[in-house]
Amino acid sequence: MTALRWLPLLLALLTVSGQAVPVLEGRTLSFEDGPRVVWQRTYPAAMGDLSGPLQVGSVTYLGAGPSVYALSSAGSVLGRADLPGLVTSIDASGGAVLVTTQEGSLTERYTLDTTDGLDVRERVVLPPDIRVTGWLARVADTMPAALLAQAVRADPTNPFLALREAHAAQADPYRALNRVRRALAGPLPFPAWVQLAARLDRDGYPAAADLALGRALKDAAARGLDPELSVSRAALSAYGNPSGYVGTLLAQNRLARADVWMRYLRDLHPRFEGGPALYERYARVLDTQGRSGEAEQWRQFTRSLNAGTLYNLGPQGLRSVRDAARLVTLTLALALVAALLAFQARAWTTQSADTAPLGGRWRSWLRHPLARARRVTVAYTSLGERLLLALLAAALVTGLAGWQWANQASAALHAPALNLGTYGGGWSGAQLADLNLRPGPDAALLAGLAAHLDGDDGAARDAYTRALPDACAQNNLGVIAQGRGDEAQARDRYRAALSARPDLAAPAFNLGLNPATPSATFQRTYRPGQPRLCYPDERSLTRAVTGDLSVTLGGLLRSPQDLFTAGAGRSVRLGTVLSGAILLSALLILSLLLPRATLALRRSRPFAYRALGLLLPGTTLLDSAWGGVLLLAWSAAVAALAPRSGLVSFPDLPTLTGAGGQAAVLGALVVTYALNTLVFVGAEVRHARRVRRDAPAPARS
C-alpha cells in the first residue's frame, strides 16, 4: 500500500521530465513544462556567448565560451568538454552530438562522446589563446563574492570557483581543505592545471600544487606535447605562464617552490622561448646559496639543449648568425669604400685631364657617355685591383643575403605553428599551411607528424614515405608498424634510423637501449609502453621553412621584386641595399673587360693617395698580396669596434663586444697600422727608385 501511495507522484515526475524542454532566452536557460518553469539558471557575461541548447534524451547540451556543458533534466552538471575555440553551434546527427567551434577564421567540428562522461572523440590541440586556455579562471575571477556559493553549486566542474571558496574559508582549515580537494577532483586541460597549481601555491597548498602539476604533465603528454619541441613565449603564457611564476618565486626567494616549477619546465617545456636566460638566473641564485653543484647541473642542461640547433649555437643561434652577417657586411662595405676612395684619389688628376676634351668630369656623361665610361675610376686600376674590387662586392652581396636569410629564417622558425610544443590540430595545421614550406623531406616529415599525432596513420605513412631516407621518417614508420602489430618491420625501421643517425634518441629508445636523455625519461614516465616518435631538430625546420643561403640567393635572382616587398623577416630597406650591392657587383665584374687607361708613373701616387694609404691600411697596396690582407684586417677591426660609437651594436656576439674582446680587437688594429706603415714605406722606396730609373737622362751640352 505504501508503494501504491507514491506511484502517482512518480508518474507525475516522469511525465514532467519527459515533457520539459530547455529554452534559452538571453543568458537565462530554463526548463519549461508548458507554462510552468521547472528550473532556470542565468549565466554570467564572463562565460561568453551561449550556444544551444540541444536536448538529446534526458541530457541537455549548452555551449558557453570554449566549453560544452552536459546538464541533467534536474539542472545538475553531468560533465564539461573543453574545446580549442569558441563554441558557435551544437547539433545532433546520426545519434552523435556535433559541436562547431571558431578560433579566428578557423572553423572546426568536433564529436562529443557521452559513453563515459563527456569527452571529445577527436584530438583537441589547444591554441595559444588565453581566451580559450584561461576561460575557467576568468569566469571564476569575475564572479561576485556574494554569488560565489551559488556559482559553485551551478558549476561544480570549475575548480577555480572551489579554490575561491577555499581562500575565503581559510579561517576554517577543514572546510578550506575540503574545497581544495573538490578543486582537484575533476578533469582539466593542462593549462588549467598549471593555472590552478600557481594559485594553490600562492594560497599555501604546496602538496596540492605539486599534484596539479603532475596532472598537467599527464594531460599534456596525452595531448601530444613533447619536450623535444619549442614553445614560444605567447604559447607558454597561454599554457599557464609557468616561467612567469618561477620569476615571481625567485623574486620572493622561495627556492624550494621554484625548484618544483623549474623541474616542471625542464620536463615538459625545456626549449621554451627565453629558457636559457631563466636557467642562468636560477643557476646564479643557486650559486649565491652555496649550491654550486646544482647550479652547474642546470648550466650543463642548458648547454645540452644546443644539440640539434643551427650550428649548435643554441636556441638563439640565428640571432648570432644575423649579427655575424651584419659584422661581415660592415667589414666588406668599409673595405670596398676605402678601396674606391683610394683609387679615386689616385686617378683624380689624370681623370680630370682626360675628361676635359669630352666636356669635363660630369658633363661628359651627357655628351660622350661611351667615351666617358672608358675613363671611370676603375679604368685606371690594374686587372688584379679590379678583380679584388669585384670579389669584395660579391662577398658584400653574400653577406647581405646572409643577413636577409637569417632574418627570414628566424621569423619563420618563430611561427606559432612551430612553437606549440606539438604538431597537428586544426589551428596548427592552418598556421602551418600559411608558411609555404619548401617541398622536400623536411616538410614531408612535418606533415607526417601532424597527421600521425591527429590519429591519421594512412596520411602519416604516405608523408613519411615521401620523407625517406630521412632517419626520423624511418623511425616514425616503425612506430606505425609497431602500432599495427608488425614488430619485425618496426625493429628493422628503428635499426635503419639508428644506423643512419646514431645520435637519434628515439630509435635507440624504441630498440630498448635506454638512452639517458630528458625526452626518453619523459616517454618512460608519461607515455609508458608507447614507442617514441622522432621530431625534427632546428636544422631540419630551417631547411623546411627557408632552405639554406643558396636557396635565398636563388630566390632573389628568380624574383628580384621580392627585394622591395615587405614580408615576414624581410625588410624593404635591407632589400634595397642588397639590390644596390648586386648592381655594384655586376658593374665591377663588367669593368674587368675595360681596357686600362693610361696613368703616368709620376702621377700614380699623389699626396691624397699617400695620405689615404696611411689612414686606411692596405688601400695603396692592393696590387700586392699585403694590400688585401691589411685592408680586410683594418676594416674588420673597425667594424668590431663600431659598437663603441653607439651607432651599431652586435648584442648576440658577446665574446666580441665584451671588454676582453674589444681590447684584443684594439690591439689587432694597432698591429695592422704598424704593419701597414712598414709596408707603405717599402712601397714608397720602390716607387721612388722606379721614378728615378724611368726619368729621362739630362741632355748633354
Side-chain angles (χ1 to χ4, degrees):
M1 293 297 292
T2 303
L4 291 175
R5 186 185 309 165
W6 291 100
L7 184 60
L9 180 59
L10 292 173
L11 290 174
L13 288 173
L14 290 173
T15 302
V16 169
S17 170
Q19 293 177 347
V21 294
V23 177
L24 181 63
E25 293 184 1
R27 304 199 64 82
T28 300
L29 176 67
S30 59
F31 257 59
E32 299 180 357
D33 180 13
R36 187 172 67 89
V37 176
V38 179
W39 62 266
Q40 69 177 17
R41 182 174 301 148
T42 300
Y43 293 89
M47 296 186 74
D49 295 338
L50 304 179
S51 304
L54 172 69
Q55 189 175 33
V56 179
S58 61
V59 180
T60 297
Y61 298 92
L62 177 72
S67 298
V68 173
Y69 285 90
L71 306 170
S72 69
S73 56
S76 59
V77 177
L78 301 176
R80 187 194 71 250
D82 298 299
L83 297 164
L86 302 180
V87 177
T88 57
S89 67
I90 308 174
D91 56 86
S93 176
V97 178
L98 303 177
V99 180
T100 303
T101 66
Q102 185 166 7
E103 174 63 21
S105 60
L106 177 68
T107 300
E108 295 182 273
R109 297 272 281 178
Y110 291 92
T111 307
L112 298 185
D113 188 351
T114 58
T115 304
D116 184 16
L118 186 62
D119 296 313
V120 184
R121 291 180 185 175
E122 295 83 6
R123 180 183 179 225
V124 175
V125 179
L126 298 174
D129 187 350
I130 194 63
R131 295 181 306 161
V132 174
T133 59
W135 181 77
L136 287 170
R138 186 170 63 253
V139 170
D141 291 341
T142 57
M143 186 62 60
L147 301 177
L148 186 58
Q150 178 183 343
V152 171
R153 290 192 298 271
D155 185 7
T157 65
N158 189 333
F160 298 96
L161 291 170
L163 191 58
R164 278 193 64 186
E165 273 200 323
H167 185 74
Q170 285 184 342
D172 185 352
Y174 178 80
R175 186 168 181 268
L177 285 173
N178 185 49
R179 296 299 182 271
V180 170
R181 293 191 189 97
R182 180 184 295 179
L184 296 169
L188 288 173
F190 75 94
W193 279 122
V194 176
Q195 296 162 14
L196 187 65
R199 298 187 180 209
L200 288 166
D201 228 342
R202 179 196 63 194
D203 289 348
Y205 302 104
D210 293 349
L211 181 61
L213 285 178
R215 292 181 180 178
L217 285 165
K218 292 179 181 178
D219 181 79
R223 292 177 186 270
L225 273 83
D226 197 89
E228 285 293 317
L229 301 180
S230 300
V231 178
S232 66
R233 187 174 283 107
L236 194 65
S237 179
Y239 294 165
N241 197 19
S243 61
Y245 188 63
V246 168
T248 301
L249 292 172
L250 292 177
Q252 296 173 350
N253 201 30
R254 297 172 59 190
L255 293 187
R257 298 308 304 160
D259 182 71
V260 172
W261 284 83
M262 287 293 291
R263 292 181 187 280
Y264 169 81
L265 284 169
R266 185 186 63 185
D267 290 345
L268 183 58
H269 305 304
R271 303 176 189 275
F272 69 94
E273 185 180 1
L278 184 60
Y279 296 145
E280 179 58 27
R281 178 185 175 187
Y282 184 56
R284 289 177 181 175
V285 172
L286 292 175
D287 280 333
T288 61
Q289 299 290 321
R291 298 158 63 181
S292 57
E294 294 178 58
E296 182 55 34
Q297 288 178 0
W298 279 101
R299 292 190 176 101
Q300 178 61 38
F301 172 73
T302 304
R303 289 191 291 269
S304 71
L305 298 179
N306 294 346
T309 60
L310 198 64
Y311 308 118
N312 290 328
L313 292 174
Q316 305 299 325
L318 271 172
R319 295 173 58 180
S320 299
V321 172
R322 180 204 63 188
D323 275 3
R326 292 172 63 231
L327 177 64
V328 169
T329 298
L330 182 57
T331 297
L332 294 169
L334 287 172
L336 190 57
V337 169
L340 288 173
L341 281 175
F343 291 149
Q344 182 63 64
R346 183 175 66 180
W348 185 264
T349 303
T350 304
Q351 190 182 49
S352 297
D354 291 347
T355 56
L358 303 176
R361 185 183 301 277
W362 310 114
R363 196 173 297 175
S364 57
W365 283 109
L366 298 176
R367 294 182 177 181
H368 306 281
L370 293 179
R372 179 64 177 86
R374 295 181 59 185
R375 292 166 175 82
V376 293
T377 300
V378 293
Y380 295 90
T381 61
S382 66
L383 182 62
E385 290 171 333
R386 295 184 205 180
L387 183 60
L388 179 61
L389 288 176
L391 290 175
L392 286 174
L396 179 62
V397 170
T398 305
L400 287 166
W403 185 353
Q404 184 87 298
W405 171 81
N407 287 342
Q408 292 179 355
S410 180
L413 289 179
H414 281 83
L418 301 178
N419 293 275
L420 288 178
T422 187
Y423 297 126
W427 186 88
S428 175
Q431 295 285 322
L432 199 62
D434 292 340
L435 288 179
N436 297 320
L437 300 177
R438 295 184 63 254
D442 301 291
L445 177 61
L446 279 175
L449 279 165
H452 198 160
L453 291 167
D454 286 343
D456 190 348
D457 285 356
R461 187 184 304 109
D462 293 341
Y464 291 147
T465 302
R466 294 196 306 272
L468 293 176
D470 184 86
C472 267
Q474 286 278 20
N475 176 84
N476 296 348
L477 284 169
V479 172
I480 293 177
Q482 186 172 343
R484 65 171 185 264
D486 192 344
E487 294 289 340
Q489 185 185 19
R491 294 188 70 82
D492 287 343
R493 294 284 190 183
Y494 298 150
R495 292 192 188 99
L498 194 60
S499 176
R501 282 190 56 187
D503 61 318
L504 282 182
F509 177 88
N510 295 331
L511 288 170
L513 301 180
N514 295 323
T517 62
S519 58
T521 303
F522 181 86
Q523 190 78 10
R524 280 191 294 268
T525 306
Y526 299 105
R527 298 188 189 116
Q530 297 182 31
R532 176 151 186 80
L533 288 171
C534 181
Y535 296 93
D537 57 21
E538 190 179 82
R539 289 172 292 203
S540 175
L541 292 176
T542 304
R543 291 193 298 267
V545 296
T546 61
D548 55 21
L549 180 58
S550 64
V551 174
T552 299
L553 284 170
L556 293 177
L557 293 176
R558 288 190 300 270
S559 303
Q561 68 275 9
D562 289 346
L563 290 170
F564 310 100
T565 305
R570 195 164 55 227
S571 166
V572 175
R573 183 183 303 174
L574 181 58
T576 303
V577 175
L578 179 55
S579 63
I582 292 174
L583 178 60
L584 177 61
S585 179
L587 291 175
L588 289 173
I589 291 174
L590 288 176
S591 74
L592 295 174
L593 304 177
L594 286 175
R596 184 174 184 180
T598 303
L599 182 64
L601 182 60
R602 288 182 174 275
R603 294 183 177 182
S604 63
R605 297 182 74 85
F607 175 78
Y609 180 65
R610 290 169 173 169
L612 287 175
L614 289 173
L615 292 174
L616 308 175
T619 52
T620 60
L621 307 166
L622 294 179
D623 55 347
S624 68
W626 276 102
V629 174
L630 288 172
L631 178 61
L632 286 175
W634 169 82
S635 58
V638 172
L641 293 171
R644 289 173 171 264
S645 68
L647 299 177
V648 296
S649 63
F650 307 109
D652 292 288
L653 297 177
T655 304
L656 180 67
T657 56
Q662 290 286 285
V665 171
L666 192 58
L669 183 62
V670 171
V671 171
T672 301
Y673 271 104
L675 288 174
N676 177 73
T677 302
L678 292 175
V679 180
F680 178 83
V681 170
E684 284 295 313
V685 171
R686 288 194 301 273
H687 176 70
R689 288 175 179 173
R690 287 182 59 193
V691 170
R692 285 197 301 270
R693 185 174 62 248
D694 295 345
R700 294 182 179 178
S701 56

